[in-house]
């Protein structure tokens, strides 16, 4: 049986929540591998577990009634899947699945909902996290409506960089095209421009960040507000140094 020490957990939420709140969950925690395409939340299906990601990257994908899909958010070690249960909604449209393989800690949904229902401090903490996810979705909509593809691409690369270790991001052009809702050829063209500005280097199945500052400059106003809010309300930087 795995023994979990709060200070040694890589998921920011579990490491930051109060020791009393952590104690309400720890006995039912289970560490699990999260391979590529592993489904954390299925469309319209009540999840059995809340997944607290420690490594890897999950995609929150919205799908229309006629089958059009676009990624609307990320979840990594800063967060958890299935947070719609905090709003008393057992199932939700859309899917969350792993785009970059990793690992995490899962907690049975009943254990989690009992913990937040019985303790105001635990409930308030996770509601603050829900607030940051709603803000992320809102700024994804803002970026899609008001910013250029190059600015949006820089934003999404920064969001991946926030949630993954190091500067190598194991993401494909197909993944980036899903994130941006554009053709793969359009992504390739924009990556060439970012490479020309020495912000990134793109190889097959990998994107290396060469200059985070240049990406910040390119993204401009479409990156930063949700990230600063996360740090403000949860008390730790979104990107671990």
């Amino acid at each position: 049986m795995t023994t979990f020490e709060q200070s040694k957990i890589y998921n920011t939420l579990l490491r930051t929540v109060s020791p009393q709140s952590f104690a309400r969950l720890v006995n039912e925690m289970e560490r699990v591998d999260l391979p590529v395409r592993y489904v954390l939340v299925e469309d319209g299906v009540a999840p059995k577990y809340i997944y607290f990601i420690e490594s890897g990257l999950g995609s929150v994908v919205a799908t229309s009634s006629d089958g059009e899909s676009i990624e609307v958010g990320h979840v990594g070690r800063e967060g958890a899947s299935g947070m719609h249960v905090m709003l008393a909604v057992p199932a939700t449209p859309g899917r969350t699945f792993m785009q970059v393989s990793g690992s995490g800690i899962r907690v049975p949904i009943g254990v989690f909902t009992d913990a937040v229902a019985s303790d105001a401090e635990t409930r308030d903490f996770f509601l603050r996290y829900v607030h940051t996810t709603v803000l992320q979705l809102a700024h994804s909509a803002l970026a899609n409506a008001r910013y250029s593809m190059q600015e949006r691409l820089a934003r999404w690369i920064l969001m991946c960089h926030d949630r993954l270790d190091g500067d190598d991001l194991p993401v494909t052009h197909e993944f980036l095209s899903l994130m941006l809702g554009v053709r793969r050829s359009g992504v390739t063209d924009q990556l060439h421009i970012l490479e020309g500005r020495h912000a990134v280097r793109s190889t097959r199945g990998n994107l290396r960040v060469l200059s985070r500052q240049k990406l910040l400059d390119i993204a401009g106003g479409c990156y930063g507000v949700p990230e600063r809010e996360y740090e403000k309300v949860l008390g730790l930087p979104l990107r671990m140094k």
Side-chain angles (χ1 to χ4, degrees):
M1 179 178 178
T2 303
T3 301
F4 293 96
E5 295 183 43
Q6 188 174 10
S7 63
K8 295 182 179 179
I9 286 176
Y10 289 104
N11 179 271
T12 302
L13 294 179
L14 289 181
R15 194 173 65 253
T16 308
V17 73
S18 73
Q20 295 78 12
S21 300
F22 184 82
R24 293 175 180 271
L25 304 173
V26 66
N27 290 336
E28 298 297 329
M29 290 180 185
E30 178 187 6
R31 184 165 274 118
V32 291
D33 291 330
L34 300 173
V36 173
R37 300 295 176 182
Y38 186 91
V39 176
L40 306 175
V41 176
E42 186 56 274
D43 187 355
V45 178
K48 295 181 179 179
Y49 298 97
I50 298 293
Y51 287 88
F52 296 91
I53 295 175
E54 291 196 288
S55 64
L57 184 69
S59 290
V60 183
V61 176
T63 304
S64 68
S65 59
D66 57 359
E68 293 292 332
S69 296
I70 188 171
E71 188 192 67
V72 294
H74 288 154
V75 57
R77 60 187 169 196
E78 88 297 344
S81 68
M83 285 293 107
H84 57 276
V85 301
M86 289 297 302
L87 305 177
V89 178
T92 186
R95 303 175 78 228
T96 303
F97 60 91
M98 297 299 293
Q99 274 291 359
V100 177
S101 64
S103 63
I105 294 169
R106 69 183 186 184
V107 175
I109 197 78
V111 173
F112 179 80
T113 54
D114 286 348
V116 298
S118 61
D119 181 69
E121 183 179 15
T122 305
R123 181 170 62 254
D124 290 349
F125 176 83
F126 284 106
L127 282 173
R128 289 196 296 274
Y129 171 63
V130 171
H131 162 68
T132 69
T133 66
V134 172
L135 194 61
Q136 183 189 141
L137 296 176
H139 279 257
S140 292
L142 176 62
N144 289 339
R146 295 298 184 187
Y147 287 85
S148 70
M149 190 190 304
Q150 186 176 138
E151 291 165 329
R152 290 159 52 205
L153 178 57
R155 173 181 183 258
W156 283 113
I157 293 171
L158 286 165
M159 291 175 69
C160 292
H161 195 227
D162 287 338
R163 292 163 173 82
L164 294 169
D165 291 322
D167 295 324
D168 287 303
L169 312 180
V171 296
T172 64
H173 289 200
E174 288 85 357
F175 173 42
L176 293 170
S177 67
L178 170 65
M179 290 195 297
L180 297 172
V182 298
R183 294 177 183 271
R184 176 179 170 176
S185 58
V187 169
T188 301
D189 291 342
Q190 293 302 317
L191 282 173
H192 287 329
I193 294 173
L194 293 183
E195 286 183 301
R197 297 181 67 172
H198 305 291
V200 301
R201 180 186 301 121
S202 178
T203 56
R204 184 175 179 85
N206 189 77
L207 190 65
R208 183 171 181 80
V209 174
L210 300 179
S211 173
R212 183 175 173 89
Q213 185 56 54
K214 287 181 180 179
L215 289 171
L216 288 168
D217 293 341
I218 294 165
C222 73
Y223 173 87
V225 173
E227 291 72 24
R228 287 190 293 272
E229 186 71 1
Y230 181 95
E231 296 185 12
K232 174 184 173 182
V233 303
L234 292 172
L236 279 179
L238 193 152
R239 176 167 171 78
M240 295 293 100
K241 305 301 183 185

